[in-house]
Amino acid sequence: MPAVEFTLSKSLLVAIVLAPLIGAILAGLFGRRIGRAGSHTVTIAGVALSCALSMYVLWQLVSQGAAPFNQNLYTWFEIGGYNAHIGFMVDKLTAMMMVVVTFVSLLVHVYTIGYMSEDPGYQRFFSYISLFTFSMLMLVMSNNFLQLFFGWEAVGLVSYLLIGFWFKRPSAIFANLKAFLVNRVGDFGFLLGIAGVLYWFGTLDYATVFANAASTIGGGEVFEFLPGHAWSVATVICVCLFIGAMGKSAQVPLHVWLPDSMEGPTPISALIHAATMVTAGIFMVARMSPLFELSPAALNFVLFIGATTAFWTGLIGMVQNDIKRVVAYSTLSQLGYMTVALGVSAYSAGVFHLMTHAFFKALLFLGAGSVIIGMHHEQDMRRMGGLKKYMPITYWTMVIGTLALVGTPFFSGFFSKDTIIEAAAEHAHEAHNWVATYAHWAVLLGAFVTSFYSFRLLYLTFHGKERFHDPVPDHYIAPEADSTEHEDAIAHSHDAHDDAHGHDDHGHAHTPHESPWVVTLPLILLAIPSILIGYFTAGPMLFGTDWQGHEKIAPYFTGAIQVLPEHDVLSKVAAEHWHGPLQFALHGFMAPAFLLAFAGFALATFLYLFRTDLPGKIAHALRWPVRVLERKYFMDDLWIDGFAGGGVALGQASRAVDSKLIDGVAVNGSARVVGLVSGVVRQIQSGYLYHYAFAMIVGLIVLLAVIQTFWV
């Protein structure tokens, strides 16, 4: 390592951001002129350049001793004494995110060539996903809250466009509108948090805010929201910021948009809803660690939400039959694990799981897409079975992704997931409060749930009897379950693909087949880090040792993530459990998490490989809990019929008040009164002079009588 630190190149960082943007512009505005090949060539070239340069930046920071970069590039605007800047903060946390985003995006771009080959919106799709990559890079590389919010909203906008990419499908339009509106709820809290930062710190610059956090809001500063009700400034700011993360990273109760987002093409499920956008909230909280460390109450709130998401959304995945939705609920659960890590101040473990999860979850989503291609756009696992012999590459790569997901020792997911479970256990041991205990049991039992639905997916899809031509067997359907919504979704899916891909029939007359190389190559390239990356990076990123665990080194996230000594659970996990990746993995075979995962594997194997008659009987015996899971704890009813329906009812009531009371009574009613009075007056005005003389005489007599009575 050189004795003198050097700074990263500004022009290189600008090139990383602009390369995908240029590709998006060329494909979007000139797609018809340059054609399909030209569109995917320019976008892939842009993302490939960005990926290569991001890896170079990471290498410079890790191996060459480059100093973190934090500079403003130009002034965006000035209002009074406030200056808004566009700038970059690139440290090891940022560089890791840049590599993950661009690498997964690059493979998704290649995969899209095969998956969207017959879609009429081919060029538009490539423009969108390249634009998304630019937006995500702007988010993770920002050095201030305003630019962060710009990237935050930009990825939300592009996500909206991609979820509703097949805009002729009502289900897709409903899904993208749902995602957009639910995220607006989270973004409202996020914006309030940013406003709180600006009010208390007078700046939105990261470095300034973090450097002054302890002195500005770390001394128990409060403000009165209502008379007599004092609120901690640190808690309010952090909770508001985390509400933004709840929307973007799909945490309960703002999680309802993510499963429906599967209405979009499969490549975006891997890019946006597994590897990048949904992890933006996790990255944001880790980046804001200097603020969150000042509020134990906010950390407990984060911990509770994460634990609830990790366990309870995983249970829903056990009853799903759409292959993409199973993986979607798995994503929700794993995002919960990351959030639990943040809540116990194990930020490094959270972003480490973010990294490993990006590879194996993108692999599972793209593998599911490969199955959908091979099955001619069938997504219902009850109509699959026996695909192992038809799609061997897809099968074995999905096996690797599944083993990583369930936390099998030596696979990448084990090192990140098991560390989170150990950190939660350590926190529960020290905290002695119900939230910590609840979180520990949630992530521990979640290992069983994850294993069960993951192997259920493998068995229903790749093993057992071939069910391509069969009706859906009764023993895969929970009695009394309302499957109408699911069947409609499948029908919509077929209609969409018929329209998009030009297939005349998607009945099951086709024989399944392995996908083309542009689909299988990304699967293989994602399978490699799903196996290896955890083994070689756990030591430096989590425990401050070399990859073998022999020598102490500076923790990877030093300077990027701040943890108070009394909150540092990872150091305790390292002291008790880390003696190198080999020993850590071997010890994992005896850990409770692995035993529970093995139990989930064994139960899924027994039910879906050997005794396929039992799932239906069990579903009948447990029909009420199954019903609750199939209805997703009635959360959609709450959001759609409750909040959205209540809003519509309130609007209708307001319209009724406006039309009936204000317009009908106040406005039109007063007009009617004037008309009535004028009608009476018109009858008096006869036009005869003697009538007027008679009225004047009578009036004069009445007036004299009144004077005589009251004044004389």
Side-chain angles (χ1 to χ4, degrees):
M1 183 178 296
V4 180
E5 290 184 338
F6 63 93
T7 304
L8 299 173
S9 167
K10 182 189 301 184
S11 58
L12 183 146
L13 297 178
V14 172
I16 291 174
V17 170
L18 293 184
L21 178 62
I22 293 172
I25 293 173
L26 292 175
L29 298 182
F30 307 102
R32 290 187 178 182
R33 180 171 298 181
I34 62 179
R36 290 177 169 239
S39 296
H40 71 234
T41 298
V42 295
T43 52
I44 290 175
V47 175
L49 175 62
S50 183
C51 181
L53 295 179
S54 296
M55 291 181 175
Y56 179 65
V57 167
L58 181 63
W59 176 75
Q60 286 185 310
L61 288 169
V62 173
S63 300
Q64 299 301 301
F69 181 95
N70 183 17
Q71 292 183 27
N72 293 324
L73 303 185
Y74 66 92
T75 300
W76 189 1
F77 61 82
E78 296 183 10
I79 298 179
Y82 175 71
N83 298 324
H85 301 284
I86 296 296
F88 296 147
M89 174 184 280
V90 180
D91 51 21
K92 291 180 180 179
L93 173 61
T94 304
M96 183 270 289
M97 287 294 298
M98 290 163 58
V99 171
V100 169
V101 169
T102 55
F103 179 74
V104 173
S105 178
L106 175 60
L107 296 184
V108 168
H109 275 68
V110 174
Y111 177 96
T112 299
I113 296 175
Y115 192 87
M116 302 292 287
S117 60
E118 300 172 25
D119 196 287
Y122 189 86
Q123 294 97 316
R124 177 165 57 94
F125 190 84
F126 272 97
S127 176
Y128 285 172
I129 58 177
S130 191
L131 181 62
F132 173 84
T133 307
F134 159 75
S135 302
M136 193 67 194
L137 287 170
M138 286 294 288
L139 188 156
V140 300
M141 295 172 66
S142 63
N143 72 343
N144 63 83
F145 285 87
L146 189 62
Q147 185 178 334
L148 170 70
F149 189 73
F150 164 77
W152 195 270
E153 293 303 305
V155 294
L157 172 63
V158 182
S159 175
Y160 169 84
L161 296 173
L162 286 168
I163 294 171
F165 181 78
W166 288 318
F167 53 84
K168 294 183 179 180
R169 286 169 55 178
S171 56
I173 296 302
F174 179 80
N176 74 350
L177 183 61
K178 185 178 182 181
F180 190 82
L181 293 178
V182 171
N183 272 278
R184 296 293 70 72
V185 176
D187 291 353
F188 179 70
F190 190 51
L191 195 56
L192 288 177
I194 294 175
V197 170
L198 180 61
Y199 178 80
W200 282 93
F201 290 90
T203 180
L204 294 178
D205 179 71
Y206 284 168
T208 306
V209 170
F210 297 159
N212 296 288
S215 60
T216 304
I217 62 173
E221 284 75 13
V222 298
F223 71 95
E224 287 194 3
F225 181 68
L226 294 172
H229 294 78
W231 294 60
S232 165
V233 173
T235 298
V236 170
I237 289 176
C238 291
V239 168
C240 287
L241 291 174
F242 181 68
I243 289 173
M246 288 170 61
K248 198 67 71 183
S249 293
Q251 298 295 291
V252 171
L254 303 182
H255 68 288
V256 293
W257 66 271
L258 191 143
D260 285 357
S261 70
M262 298 302 107
E263 291 293 332
T266 298
I268 67 132
S269 299
L271 177 62
I272 295 180
H273 306 122
T276 53
M277 190 190 83
V278 292
T279 61
I282 308 300
F283 165 80
M284 184 271 292
V285 175
R287 173 64 79 197
M288 306 303 156
S289 59
L291 300 179
F292 279 84
E293 284 296 285
L294 301 176
S295 175
L299 289 175
N300 275 331
F301 178 69
V302 172
L303 181 59
F304 175 78
I305 295 296
T308 302
T309 305
F311 180 70
W312 296 102
T313 61
L315 289 176
I316 302 176
M318 298 171 66
V319 300
Q320 297 296 309
N321 295 309
D322 185 309
I323 187 171
K324 285 175 65 176
R325 287 181 182 262
V326 175
V327 186
Y329 280 102
S330 169
T331 299
L332 283 174
S333 182
Q334 297 308 305
L335 289 167
Y337 274 85
M338 299 175 206
T339 305
V340 166
L342 302 176
V344 300
S345 294
Y347 305 98
S348 299
V351 293
F352 185 66
H353 193 50
L354 181 161
M355 178 188 71
T356 61
H357 174 266
F359 296 118
F360 62 72
K361 187 54 61 66
L363 169 59
L364 288 172
F365 265 120
L366 296 185
S370 178
V371 169
I372 293 169
I373 294 172
M375 287 294 296
H376 302 276
H377 307 291
E378 177 60 73
Q379 295 181 206
D380 193 335
M381 297 186 297
R382 298 170 296 182
R383 294 189 174 101
M384 298 180 186
L387 293 183
K388 178 182 176 181
K389 68 178 181 180
Y390 297 103
M391 309 181 71
I393 299 176
T394 300
Y395 170 72
W396 286 110
T397 52
M398 287 197 72
V399 167
I400 291 171
T402 298
L403 293 174
L405 171 62
V406 303
T408 307
F410 291 101
F411 286 79
S412 62
F414 162 76
F415 292 97
S416 55
K417 191 175 180 180
D418 199 69
T419 301
I420 292 174
I421 295 173
E422 294 291 348
E426 189 67 38
H427 181 72
H429 177 71
E430 292 186 351
H432 300 294
N433 64 58
W434 69 270
V435 176
T437 304
Y438 166 69
H440 176 222
W441 282 104
V443 295
L444 195 58
L445 294 176
F448 169 84
V449 175
T450 302
S451 182
F452 178 82
Y453 64 64
S454 298
F455 284 101
R456 174 179 177 267
L457 182 152
L458 276 181
Y459 294 142
L460 286 179
T461 305
F462 294 101
H463 292 267
K465 175 188 174 183
E466 297 177 2
R467 300 183 297 276
F468 317 142
H469 310 286
D470 298 345
V472 179
D474 291 340
H475 58 270
Y476 288 115
I477 304 176
E480 301 184 18
D482 182 8
S483 60
T484 304
E485 179 182 352
H486 174 77
E487 295 302 330
D488 288 345
I490 295 295
H492 283 309
S493 177
H494 282 243
D495 293 342
H497 285 291
D498 290 347
D499 295 340
H501 298 276
H503 294 293
D504 295 323
D505 66 327
H506 289 290
H508 304 289
H510 300 279
T511 300
H513 57 84
E514 185 61 273
S515 300
W517 72 268
V518 289
V519 172
T520 56
L521 178 61
L523 298 182
I524 295 170
L525 294 178
L526 286 168
I528 295 171
S530 297
I531 299 173
L532 299 176
I533 198 166
Y535 189 92
F536 292 102
T537 58
M541 286 194 171
L542 295 177
F543 304 117
T545 69
D546 62 7
W547 72 269
Q548 296 175 309
H550 295 159
E551 298 180 8
K552 283 286 184 180
I553 60 175
Y556 176 84
F557 294 110
T558 298
I561 291 175
Q562 297 180 27
V563 181
L564 297 177
E566 59 269 26
H567 294 169
D568 192 5
V569 293
L570 282 184
S571 63
K572 299 179 178 64
V573 173
E576 295 178 12
H577 302 284
W578 180 254
H579 305 289
L582 178 62
Q583 292 82 354
F584 192 73
L586 292 174
H587 180 267
F589 284 108
M590 299 178 289
F594 174 77
L595 298 178
L596 286 168
F598 186 81
F601 157 75
L603 181 60
T605 303
F606 178 71
L607 293 178
Y608 293 98
L609 203 57
F610 297 112
R611 290 297 305 275
T612 56
D613 59 309
L614 288 181
K617 297 177 182 178
I618 295 173
H620 180 72
L622 301 175
R623 56 187 175 276
W624 292 114
V626 169
R627 175 72 168 175
V628 171
L629 292 177
E630 288 192 330
R631 294 299 297 271
K632 310 162 193 172
Y633 308 115
F634 303 97
M635 290 297 293
D636 277 343
D637 299 270
L638 176 64
W639 277 97
I640 296 171
D641 298 329
F643 297 129
V648 171
L650 182 63
Q652 291 173 339
S654 174
R655 184 170 60 183
V657 169
D658 183 64
S659 61
K660 301 296 184 183
L661 183 61
I662 298 176
D663 287 344
V665 176
V667 178
N668 296 332
S670 60
R672 291 192 197 98
V673 170
V674 172
L676 181 62
V677 172
S678 64
V680 174
V681 172
R682 276 199 304 269
Q683 298 301 319
I684 298 174
Q685 302 295 323
S686 64
Y688 293 108
L689 184 61
Y690 60 86
H691 286 173
Y692 300 147
F694 176 75
M696 292 172 64
I697 293 170
V698 171
L700 180 60
I701 292 170
V702 171
L703 179 61
L704 291 173
V706 171
I707 294 173
Q708 178 68 27
T709 303
F710 295 102
W711 280 280
V712 177

